[in-house]
């Protein structure tokens, strides 16, 4: 992915639910975490 120490956010949708995925890139590792799926209306408020 990247080795520049950036944090990336993605708005994803699957099965009618939306969630935000966060990817933290470091020189030695990449960590991915996702929030619990919510309705599109709830995620739009975020």
């Amino acid at each position: 992915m990247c080795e520049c120490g950036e944090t990336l956010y993605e708005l994803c949708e699957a099965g009618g639910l939306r969630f935000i995925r966060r990817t933290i890139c470091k020189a030695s590792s990449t960590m991915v975490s996702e929030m619990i799926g919510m309705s599109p209306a709830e995620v739009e408020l975020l």
Side-chain angles (χ1 to χ4, degrees), residues 26-39:
K26 295 185 179 179
S28 61
S29 66
T30 300
M31 184 177 73
V32 177
S33 59
E34 297 176 352
M35 63 179 273
I36 296 173
M38 304 169 95
S39 72

Side-chain angles (χ1 to χ4, degrees), residues 15-34:
L17 298 175
R18 290 185 181 168
F19 57 95
I20 297 172
R21 176 183 295 145
R22 178 180 67 186
T23 305
I24 300 173
C25 302
K26 295 185 179 179
S28 61
S29 66
T30 300
M31 184 177 73
V32 177
S33 59
E34 297 176 352

